[in-house]
Amino acid sequence: MDNSKIGQHISERFNQELEDIRNKVLTMGGLVERQIELAVEAYTTGNMELAEQVIKQDNDVDALEVAIDQECTQILALRQPTAFDLRLLIAVIKIIHEIERIGDKAERIAEMAIQLAGNESKIPHHELEHMADLVKGMLHDALDAFARMTLENVPGITSMDEKVDREYDNILRQLITRMMEDPRNITRTLDVLWTVRALERIGDHACYICEHLVYMINGEDVRHLSQEELEKRVKVAR
Amino acid sequence: MDNSKIGQHISERFNQELEDIRNKVLTMGGLVERQIELAVEAYTTGNMELAEQVIKQDNDVDALEVAIDQECTQILALRQPTAFDLRLLIAVIKIIHEIERIGDKAERIAEMAIQLAGNESKIPHHELEHMADLVKGMLHDALDAFARMTLENVPGITSMDEKVDREYDNILRQLITRMMEDPRNITRTLDVLWTVRALERIGDHACYICEHLVYMINGEDVRHLSQEELEKRVKVAR
């Protein structure tokens, strides 16, 4: 399956509309990928300008969600699509909502960067950056799967989430140890915990995007399935 | 505006379909309200059977979401609705997603009830129960607004969320103090924190339901507006 699915309509105008929505989703996704990157950089470098920028740009993300959502609703009303086109539009409405929530998490990381500014012991940077790389990769791959309308990378993305959860547990244990050793810094350590948790949730939302993609491409609802069951369904569909 | 909006179609069958979806959403909502109640009871009484029941029943919530979602998609394909009916169906798809996430939070509280079983100092029960009452009320009012298709209670629900956030901050401060005083119990205190946080998130999702309702009834997207702006929009529409 490839994106030639878009572009087979008798109405040239309809093709353009769907293509336009696809591009806008990718723009929104790219913006949020960048938001995560900047938020993590703000956190690790203590650059407050970057953090402020992330918080400010969250409005752009929100505005894009509203705009794409409205466009989808309009197309639903005017074109009355069925089959793949209908699933595409419904999936887009759901996917942009996940992207918007990811944007909220990036904003949360930026807020924590500001809270923690000037605190030397706010690390572990290395582990946090590694976890950020993992979830950024998941989001990137999910957006790529949407762009190419293929499911081949979906099982890889969802299994990556298990790795993210393990990293999260690992960092959580370290943070608990630190809180026990230095109870005066519990508030600050909790702020680190919120940051790590925001990253972990980004991974979850990337997985939700994948579930919406499977529904869109296969017409099958795979939400609430185990990793093993998901892999089976995607394999059958290839 | 009242629910007479449903029931004005030439096709008796279409009326029935929309009415059926409305009832299923209310069933799903009622189930999740009960899930919150049981989870909080499991937490405060230490009744593990209740907690297990909540975790098991989350599958029913998930299954209801998938079923209602499919029904909405089918109606979109077959009836090709426009205007209010189209907005109703899109809003339902979004609302059931919020309800499902609320169900996840109830499950999370039940899991924490199990983790914390037998731990005498897992309170503050009183504050937690109060917060649970607030968010249950918010969800109940949001479902009621959906059932009656009226927005009159929406500003009350969203302003209640500010109260919930204050309660959350208040409990968080207490928990931090406790962690400082007794660092050996940090892990358990964090489990209490996850419980309180799950409740706080339920309030957020109840607000998201309200936003979808405003869109459904007014055809206006009020996501990402301030409380003040929201109140203005709802007032104008009454």
Side-chain angles (χ1 to χ4, degrees):
Chain A
M1 184 149 327
D2 57 38
N3 58 6
S4 62
K5 278 243 173 201
I6 291 182
Q8 292 171 342
H9 302 98
I10 294 164
S11 158
E12 181 60 33
R13 184 77 187 270
F14 188 16
N15 288 343
Q16 275 174 16
E17 287 167 357
L18 292 181
E19 188 60 35
D20 181 51
I21 281 185
R22 178 173 162 274
N23 290 335
K24 279 194 179 134
V25 173
L26 293 175
T27 302
M28 185 183 173
L31 178 57
V32 169
E33 274 187 75
R34 186 88 186 114
Q35 290 278 86
I36 302 173
E37 221 165 270
L38 293 178
V40 172
E41 195 182 328
Y43 180 91
T44 53
T45 62
N47 182 334
M48 289 308 94
E49 272 174 43
L50 276 189
E52 297 288 358
Q53 187 184 330
V54 171
I55 292 167
K56 216 173 126 199
Q57 279 182 350
D58 192 54
N59 292 333
D60 300 344
V61 176
D62 293 348
L64 263 170
E65 189 201 1
V66 171
I68 300 170
D69 194 303
Q70 277 169 351
E71 221 165 295
C72 288
T73 311
Q74 256 168 20
I75 297 181
L76 283 170
L78 295 175
R79 302 287 177 188
Q80 312 203 320
T82 56
F84 176 77
D85 298 334
L86 175 60
R87 292 202 308 275
L88 170 72
L89 291 166
I90 294 177
V92 164
I93 288 175
K94 292 176 179 177
I95 288 169
I96 56 176
H97 194 55
E98 308 296 351
I99 298 175
E100 188 265 331
R101 296 273 160 99
I102 294 176
D104 286 346
K105 305 297 167 199
E107 191 187 9
R108 176 100 171 129
I109 295 168
E111 285 166 358
M112 291 304 111
I114 293 173
Q115 292 260 48
L116 287 162
N119 177 23
E120 288 307 312
S121 69
K122 72 165 183 261
I123 25 173
H125 280 177
H126 174 70
E127 281 97 331
L128 193 129
E129 281 171 325
H130 183 237
M131 200 171 151
D133 285 341
L134 289 179
V135 300
K136 266 191 300 177
M138 287 171 70
L139 174 60
H140 188 82
D141 289 352
L143 291 170
D144 184 63
F146 172 75
R148 296 192 297 121
M149 304 228 169
T150 162
L151 297 179
E152 55 188 338
N153 292 328
V154 162
I157 298 167
T158 52
S159 76
M160 184 68 78
D161 195 47
E162 291 172 12
K163 207 171 165 182
V164 170
D165 289 347
R166 281 198 301 275
E167 296 265 328
Y168 171 76
D169 288 338
N170 180 27
I171 299 180
L172 177 60
R173 269 194 301 274
Q174 286 182 47
L175 294 177
I176 291 173
T177 305
R178 186 192 302 181
M179 285 193 264
M180 287 177 176
E181 286 169 0
D182 184 8
R184 288 162 310 160
N185 271 325
I186 283 178
T187 306
R188 285 179 172 269
T189 308
L190 278 179
D191 286 341
V192 179
L193 178 50
W194 302 137
T195 310
V196 183
R197 198 170 172 77
L199 286 172
E200 188 266 333
R201 293 296 293 156
I202 290 175
D204 291 342
H205 286 287
C207 288
Y208 299 146
I209 293 177
C210 290
E211 290 169 359
H212 302 317
L213 286 176
V214 176
Y215 159 79
M216 175 174 98
I217 293 173
N218 286 358
E220 196 180 22
D221 211 317
V222 294
R223 279 172 296 180
H224 320 302
L225 289 185
S226 68
Q227 172 71 18
E228 201 184 342
E229 284 166 320
L230 175 68
E231 280 178 24
K232 246 187 262 166
R233 305 286 177 98
V234 171
K235 250 180 220 153
V236 168
R238 262 188 230 161
Chain B
M1 182 150 328
D2 56 38
N3 58 7
S4 63
K5 277 241 171 201
I6 291 183
Q8 293 172 342
H9 300 98
I10 294 161
S11 160
E12 182 59 34
R13 185 74 187 272
F14 188 17
N15 287 343
Q16 276 174 16
E17 286 168 357
L18 292 182
E19 188 59 37
D20 180 50
I21 281 184
R22 178 173 162 275
N23 290 336
K24 279 193 179 136
V25 173
L26 293 176
T27 302
M28 187 183 171
L31 178 56
V32 168
E33 275 187 77
R34 185 91 187 109
Q35 290 278 86
I36 302 172
E37 220 165 271
L38 293 178
V40 173
E41 193 182 329
Y43 180 92
T44 52
T45 62
N47 182 335
M48 290 306 97
E49 271 174 44
L50 276 188
E52 297 288 359
Q53 188 185 331
V54 171
I55 293 167
K56 217 173 125 199
Q57 279 181 351
D58 191 53
N59 292 332
D60 300 343
V61 177
D62 293 348
L64 262 170
E65 188 201 1
V66 171
I68 299 170
D69 195 306
Q70 278 169 352
E71 222 165 296
C72 289
T73 311
Q74 258 169 18
I75 296 180
L76 283 170
L78 296 174
R79 303 284 178 189
Q80 313 202 321
T82 56
F84 176 76
D85 298 334
L86 174 60
R87 292 202 309 274
L88 170 71
L89 291 166
I90 294 176
V92 164
I93 289 175
K94 291 176 178 177
I95 287 170
I96 55 175
H97 195 54
E98 308 296 351
I99 298 176
E100 188 265 331
R101 295 273 160 98
I102 294 176
D104 287 347
K105 305 299 169 199
E107 190 186 10
R108 177 100 172 131
I109 295 169
E111 285 166 359
M112 290 304 110
I114 293 173
Q115 292 258 51
L116 286 163
N119 178 22
E120 288 307 313
S121 69
K122 71 165 182 261
I123 23 178
H125 279 178
H126 173 70
E127 280 97 333
L128 192 129
E129 281 171 325
H130 183 235
M131 200 171 151
D133 284 341
L134 290 179
V135 300
K136 266 191 301 175
M138 288 171 70
L139 173 60
H140 188 82
D141 289 351
L143 291 170
D144 183 62
F146 173 76
R148 296 191 297 122
M149 304 226 170
T150 162
L151 297 179
E152 54 188 340
N153 292 328
V154 162
I157 298 167
T158 51
S159 76
M160 184 67 78
D161 196 45
E162 291 172 12
K163 205 169 168 185
V164 170
D165 289 348
R166 281 198 301 274
E167 295 266 326
Y168 170 77
D169 288 338
N170 179 25
I171 299 180
L172 177 61
R173 270 195 300 273
Q174 287 183 46
L175 294 176
I176 291 173
T177 306
R178 186 192 301 180
M179 285 194 263
M180 286 178 176
E181 286 168 0
D182 185 9
R184 288 162 311 161
N185 270 326
I186 283 178
T187 306
R188 284 180 172 269
T189 309
L190 279 179
D191 285 341
V192 179
L193 178 50
W194 301 138
T195 309
V196 183
R197 198 170 171 75
L199 286 173
E200 187 266 332
R201 294 295 293 155
I202 290 175
D204 291 341
H205 287 288
C207 288
Y208 299 146
I209 292 176
C210 291
E211 289 169 359
H212 302 318
L213 286 176
V214 176
Y215 159 78
M216 176 175 99
I217 293 173
N218 287 357
E220 195 181 24
D221 212 317
V222 293
R223 281 173 295 179
H224 320 302
L225 288 188
S226 69
Q227 172 71 20
E228 200 185 342
E229 283 166 321
L230 176 68
E231 278 177 25
K232 247 186 262 165
R233 305 288 177 100
V234 171
K235 251 179 222 156
V236 169
R238 260 187 235 162

